[in-house]
Amino acid sequence: MTERGERYDPRTYESGWRDRWAADDLYRADDDDPRDKHYLLTMYPYPSGDLHIGHWYAATGPDIVARMRRMQGLNVMFPMGFDSFGLPAENAAIDRGVHPWDWTESNVERMRTQFRSMGCMFDWSREVVTSDPSYYRWTQWLFLQFFKAGLAYRAMSPVDWCPKDQVVLAREQVEGADRHCWRCGTPVIKRDLEQWFFRTTRYADELLDFSRIDWPEPIRLMQTNWIGRSEGAEIDFAVEADGVAPIRVFTTRPDTIFGATFMVLAPEHPAVAALTTDDRRTEVEAYVAAARRETEIERMGTERERSGVFISAYAVNPMTEERIPIWIADYVLPTYGTGAVMGVPAHDERDYAFATGYDLPIRYVVAPRDGTLPEGEAFLPHTDDEVLVDSGDFTGMAASDAIAAITENLAERGQGAAAITYRIRDWLISRQRYWGAPIPIVYCDEHGPQPVPEDQLPVLLPRDVDFAPTGVSPLQSHAEFLNASCPVCGKPARRETDTMDTFVDSSWYFLRYCSPHDETRAWDPEAVIRWMPVDLYTGGAEHAVLHFLYARFFTKALRDMQLLDFDEPFSAVRNQGQILGADHHRMSKSRGNVVNPDDLTSRFGSDTVRCFLMFIGPWDQGGPWNPSSIEGVHRFLGRVWAVAQASGSGPGSGETRGLRQATHRAIKEVGEDFAQFRFNTALSRLMELTNALGSARDDGLAGTDAYAEAVDTLLLLLAPMAPHISEELWSRRGKPYSVHQQTWPTYDPALVVSDMIELPVQVDGKLRDRLSVAPDTAPEEIERLALASERVQAYLKGRAPRKVVQIPGRLVNIVTPGE
């Protein structure tokens, strides 16, 4: 209750202020504003139907920073939209008989309303919805630019295939450890189909350069590992088979080639069929089929037992000229290196496990200079003191020198060369489903694949499609959609039925926000120059090697096409943590631990929910939901309500310096905490200032200038975190509209410095007492006070100290003379 008897009840004013902010376009970013720009972006959501508490958590943090930056005088753009293409909408069409467009539109509208209830300062005038033709027209246009630049191409690639439904499955449609079809439960197999790719590998080296961006180290590390740059050599091993070319392997350790006693091919390697003898073919084909059903993660698991099949073929080690057997094994992947490895069991753990399992020779060819080698395991260290052993003319050479020497020797003989390989592969963007942006390509019997002319974009998704679960994309049976004409000869052509990966949509949406209503271009170049790159981007770390990487690739490719003039899309990135259920598990409907924010806001108001979420813990770490704690945050806002409306009969007679110090310390600390996304500690500072105001009110200072300054400051500092109560109280104090258009307060450095500091006093390194002194107290006086302490004297026992050590402003340590 306030002194006027009014209870803090956010239901009486929160929605009213949101309506006024919307009517006044309070948060619209102005392209012509002369102030310095600040483009702050948080990831747009998939319109699943309801905002959950995780959406609130992810959006509130950047909203706080956006509000503060605006009050600090920057022209802030903080847009929002919806990543609205994707499989769930298509599933809804099959399961519920609702068209994907209708399901998506309904969900988008609901989530818009929920987003607005949060009180975020999103500029809704810039909204993008990726499934809207006005957006995916330009997604298709971008595909054509990539195609013209040689960055989009079509090639054979394995896909997940349901043999019962006779349909290609998206990766989300393959479920369970046994990899079965989500619809019918049939085990999924791999099948090769022609599909569309983007050449991400062309930018592999540039994507490893993070020198000009401020991104979290874990994200940079994940991208570095995903790109997987490896330096080594490619070596050709001749095979004992007519008409089969030598098999090329990649290795980072050419110095160990004298220890290569077998070769292992990925089951998918194209030479397997030609090299396998008839008596081994049945077993080999069964193993290949089983391997193709497994994921790369399963195949690379360190705990699994190594398996393989001998294909009854042999290769020749180019250095030893020894005949070595060729095997296939699922731990070799077709997507890394050349899909073939030389088996060096003495110096590779996987090869060692494989060799011991199949009784293959193990030969040590690298050893420490003292000759000590392990027993029963591979020798892995790769240090400067190692030399080659049993390695022909290279025996005795330092292993570090032998890498280059052996590579050069192989190159001179035409059997190898230095090479660099990458783990990253070109981005497969084809999706065999309906609800995505159609790939703008037609196929002519005479001229092959041809791009749809730009003036014919967008290639629209037909609405009158049959979503019966027949196992094929509705587009494949839609005659009107399929029928097209070749742009070269005008003859009949067939339209591409694949749609694009939804990550294509999100790889450029930040550009569209700059001019979302431009009907003639994907973006206005002047607007992009004005706003890009994004100054700060926030989102989940789970997107490290997909969305974050693809957006960087897009930006660099578009730069090379002269469509952009910068290298990186996001200057800085910050990742939020995850809100767990009260059971400390990830929130999910199946666990029954999902928290509905609508229930909380109807009871406590939006400001309480926002503040509570930011008080759970460090924003980049998250934490478990504890519903009991929200009451405490609600009571805190109730105290703000009270102290901000306290009245005084006069100027007051108490000392106000302490209140002014608390005010200016809060300005300094809250601003620093907000900038570093330390919202939990910022709220603690605001609580301290509120408590200081409560004490000052009780001391009769409510009518003083210091009290008024403290209340105004509290509301300005609180406004980014609790925008509604700050606006309401600011208005009640007769201040000009809006609190969110006011200038961020500045602090007086002289008031930030405390009048007294506390110094720990140690005796022989152990804490024995504390001194309270002025910051400018002379060292001699500090020593005198420390030695005069009764607790210190109890340990000195009347003796003079051996020495007194001071760390200015931090501690005093007294060293006793000893016995």
Side-chain angles (χ1 to χ4, degrees):
M1 304 285 287
T2 67
E3 293 181 356
R4 292 182 292 177
E6 291 182 84
R7 182 182 300 277
Y8 168 54
D9 185 359
R11 293 172 296 184
T12 63
Y13 62 81
E14 283 194 347
S15 62
W17 283 119
R18 288 196 294 271
D19 290 343
R20 180 170 180 183
W21 296 334
D24 294 343
D25 282 333
L26 191 67
Y27 303 126
R28 183 188 291 267
D30 185 354
D31 288 342
D32 299 321
D33 193 315
R35 296 176 299 172
D36 290 343
K37 68 95 177 180
H38 188 78
Y39 185 176
L40 202 157
L41 182 62
T42 191
M43 290 183 186
Y44 60 1
Y46 179 78
S48 57
D50 278 295
L51 288 185
H52 53 70
I53 207 70
H55 289 115
W56 275 67
Y57 187 76
T60 300
D63 181 61
I64 291 169
V65 176
R67 289 177 174 280
M68 180 183 72
R69 293 303 185 205
R70 186 181 184 202
M71 295 172 75
Q72 289 175 333
L74 297 175
N75 181 23
V76 175
M77 178 164 76
F78 188 48
M80 180 48 68
F82 295 93
D83 188 15
S84 51
F85 270 140
L87 193 62
E90 198 161 344
N91 291 347
I94 295 171
D95 297 339
R96 308 175 196 175
V98 180
H99 194 283
W101 178 259
D102 298 331
W103 187 83
T104 299
E105 277 293 287
S106 174
N107 289 350
V108 164
E109 183 55 39
R110 175 165 174 76
M111 291 177 73
R112 279 194 198 108
T113 301
Q114 291 176 315
F115 262 130
R116 289 188 171 110
S117 74
M118 293 173 58
C120 286
M121 61 166 278
F122 294 131
D123 181 355
W124 287 103
S125 71
R126 295 177 181 266
E127 180 191 74
V128 300
V129 179
T130 61
S131 59
D132 192 293
S134 65
Y135 184 90
Y136 73 73
R137 167 189 182 181
W138 300 111
T139 303
Q140 293 172 340
W141 179 83
L142 285 167
F143 174 91
L144 295 181
Q145 310 317 304
F146 278 66
F147 182 77
K148 294 172 186 176
L151 293 174
Y153 67 95
R154 198 165 180 245
M156 295 295 290
S157 178
V159 296
D160 289 314
W161 176 264
C162 175
K164 180 175 183 292
D165 288 339
Q166 295 288 294
V167 62
V168 173
L169 300 178
R171 62 180 178 269
E172 303 97 326
Q173 294 173 311
V174 180
E175 299 180 339
D178 62 345
R179 292 179 47 75
H180 60 266
C181 173
W182 69 285
R183 185 180 294 125
C184 67
T186 302
V188 169
I189 62 174
K190 290 288 185 180
R191 180 172 177 178
D192 291 326
L193 288 181
E194 278 200 309
Q195 302 195 79
W196 286 95
F197 293 81
F198 284 157
R199 294 188 193 277
T200 49
T201 52
R202 185 173 293 182
Y203 290 86
D205 279 324
E206 192 176 352
L207 289 168
L208 287 168
D209 181 7
F210 303 96
S211 61
R212 288 170 289 180
I213 52 179
D214 174 18
W215 285 32
E217 179 61 27
I219 300 295
R220 291 181 292 178
L221 181 61
M222 282 189 278
Q223 289 200 3
T224 298
N225 291 339
W226 184 263
I227 295 167
R229 186 180 193 272
S230 298
E231 296 184 14
E234 287 187 345
I235 304 171
D236 290 337
F237 284 67
V239 295
E240 296 180 351
D242 294 336
V244 180
I247 293 177
R248 178 163 294 181
V249 306
F250 173 80
T251 177
T252 60
R253 295 291 305 274
D255 55 316
T256 64
I257 190 171
F258 285 87
T261 58
F262 60 95
M263 175 180 285
V264 184
L265 304 181
E268 300 89 343
H269 195 285
V272 170
L275 290 172
T276 302
T277 59
D278 290 340
D279 62 314
R280 306 292 294 172
R281 194 167 303 280
T282 300
E283 184 180 1
V284 167
E285 289 178 350
Y287 187 88
V288 170
R292 284 167 65 91
R293 291 193 62 243
E294 295 183 308
T295 65
E296 288 191 5
I297 293 175
E298 291 168 337
R299 288 169 62 166
M300 294 296 288
T302 57
E303 302 300 322
R304 66 180 292 161
E305 183 178 346
R306 299 299 171 201
S307 66
V309 175
F310 176 47
I311 65 173
S312 287
Y314 292 86
V316 177
N317 185 320
M319 297 303 290
T320 66
E321 298 185 351
E322 290 177 297
R323 189 170 182 255
I324 61 174
I326 302 176
W327 291 66
I328 59 170
D330 58 8
Y331 74 86
V332 179
L333 301 176
T335 55
Y336 180 75
T338 64
V341 301
M342 60 181 197
V344 185
H347 303 290
D348 182 276
E349 285 182 319
R350 294 181 308 164
D351 292 346
Y352 186 91
F354 191 81
T356 54
Y358 292 99
D359 198 25
L360 297 168
I362 298 174
R363 182 184 305 146
Y364 292 92
V365 293
V366 178
R369 289 190 182 274
D370 63 8
T372 304
L373 288 167
E375 292 185 8
E377 61 180 311
F379 175 65
L380 302 177
H382 195 32
T383 58
D384 293 338
D385 71 335
E386 295 169 11
V387 296
L388 266 59
V389 297
D390 296 331
S391 298
D393 294 340
F394 297 91
T395 298
M397 180 180 287
S400 56
D401 296 333
I403 291 176
I406 290 176
T407 301
E408 184 177 347
N409 182 281
L410 288 164
E412 290 173 353
R413 293 191 281 153
Q415 294 177 303
I420 297 173
T421 192
Y422 301 88
R423 180 180 180 271
I424 191 174
R425 287 292 173 261
D426 285 341
W427 176 10
L428 192 162
I429 66 158
S430 287
R431 295 294 181 267
Q432 291 76 32
R433 61 189 186 215
Y434 168 78
W435 194 236
I439 293 176
I441 293 288
V442 298
Y443 297 94
C444 173
D445 290 340
E446 182 178 350
H447 296 100
Q450 292 295 322
V452 172
E454 292 181 11
D455 61 4
Q456 294 181 20
L457 299 179
V459 176
L460 291 170
L461 285 170
R463 285 187 63 99
D464 56 332
V465 291
D466 182 6
F467 287 100
T470 59
V472 296
S473 167
L475 296 178
Q476 294 184 25
S477 57
H478 195 284
E480 184 178 349
F481 179 82
L482 289 173
N483 293 333
S485 59
C486 174
V488 177
C489 64
K491 294 179 180 178
R494 178 181 59 82
R495 194 178 301 282
E496 172 65 77
T497 58
D498 281 1
T499 55
M500 285 184 247
D501 181 3
T502 55
F503 281 112
V504 177
D505 306 325
S506 59
S507 291
W508 75 280
Y509 80 112
F510 44 87
L511 296 168
R512 187 64 177 171
Y513 278 139
C514 297
S515 52
H517 308 296
D518 196 320
E519 296 181 356
T520 61
R521 298 167 292 189
W523 56 80
D524 177 352
E526 291 186 5
V528 166
I529 291 172
R530 173 76 174 100
W531 289 108
M532 289 296 295
V534 174
D535 295 281
L536 180 61
Y537 192 35
T538 68
E542 66 272 15
H543 298 287
V545 294
L546 293 173
H547 167 56
F548 282 129
L549 192 67
Y550 294 152
R552 295 182 67 212
F553 158 68
F554 248 63
T555 299
K556 296 174 189 302
L558 293 170
R559 173 207 61 198
D560 289 349
M561 297 177 208
Q562 309 299 310
L563 294 172
L564 298 176
D565 65 352
F566 50 91
D567 301 320
E568 295 284 354
F570 316 125
S571 298
V573 166
R574 296 293 180 266
N575 301 127
Q576 78 270 7
Q578 191 173 81
I579 296 298
L580 304 176
D583 56 2
H584 291 249
H585 289 292
R586 182 172 183 171
M587 287 188 181
S588 69
K589 292 181 179 178
S590 62
R591 286 198 176 99
N593 61 356
V594 173
V595 177
N596 187 337
D598 292 353
D599 297 339
L600 295 169
T601 54
S602 64
R603 180 180 176 190
F604 296 106
S606 297
D607 286 339
T608 295
V609 178
R610 288 168 60 101
C611 290
F612 170 66
L613 286 170
M614 296 301 97
F615 202 48
I616 285 177
W619 187 76
D620 61 348
Q621 297 178 28
W625 179 261
N626 182 359
S628 63
S629 302
I630 197 170
E631 298 274 4
V633 173
H634 192 65
R635 287 194 297 270
F636 155 67
L637 292 177
R639 291 195 298 274
V640 171
W641 183 263
V643 299
Q645 299 184 86
S647 59
S649 57
S653 58
E655 174 57 53
T656 61
R657 179 173 174 80
L659 180 57
R660 297 204 66 218
Q661 286 179 317
T663 300
H664 285 259
R665 279 198 298 271
I667 295 172
K668 178 179 186 295
E669 293 167 350
V670 170
E672 292 172 350
D673 284 345
F674 279 173
Q676 296 300 318
F677 283 70
R678 298 191 298 256
F679 307 115
N680 57 326
T681 56
L683 190 57
S684 293
R685 319 284 190 199
L686 292 169
M687 289 177 175
E688 291 170 2
L689 179 56
T690 302
N691 291 339
L693 276 164
S695 297
R697 176 196 57 191
D698 295 343
D699 291 340
L701 300 179
T704 64
D705 291 343
Y707 192 91
E709 177 196 24
V711 170
D712 289 348
T713 299
L714 174 63
L715 298 181
L716 291 170
L717 297 180
L718 184 63
M721 188 174 283
H724 306 85
I725 188 175
S726 301
E727 188 77 276
E728 175 70 13
L729 291 173
W730 189 259
S731 175
R732 286 178 176 234
R733 289 177 62 76
K735 301 293 182 178
Y737 173 80
S738 154
V739 69
H740 304 297
Q741 293 177 311
Q742 305 307 308
T743 300
W744 188 256
T746 56
Y747 63 88
D748 182 345
L751 290 172
V752 169
V753 178
S754 176
D755 291 337
M756 302 293 284
I757 60 174
E758 189 176 76
L759 291 178
V761 179
Q762 298 177 343
V763 177
D764 293 333
K766 295 183 179 180
L767 180 65
R768 301 304 182 189
D769 203 355
R770 297 180 184 274
L771 295 177
S772 181
V773 298
D776 57 353
T777 304
E780 297 81 6
E781 177 62 11
I782 291 174
E783 180 175 330
R784 186 190 69 78
L785 292 170
L787 293 175
S789 163
E790 293 183 4
R791 294 181 179 178
V792 170
Q793 283 297 324
Y795 291 93
L796 284 175
K797 300 177 182 177
R799 300 168 297 171
R802 184 157 65 89
K803 62 178 177 179
V804 177
V805 179
Q806 292 191 46
I807 300 178
R810 294 184 58 187
L811 64 82
V812 181
N813 184 35
I814 298 167
V815 182
T816 61
E819 298 300 332

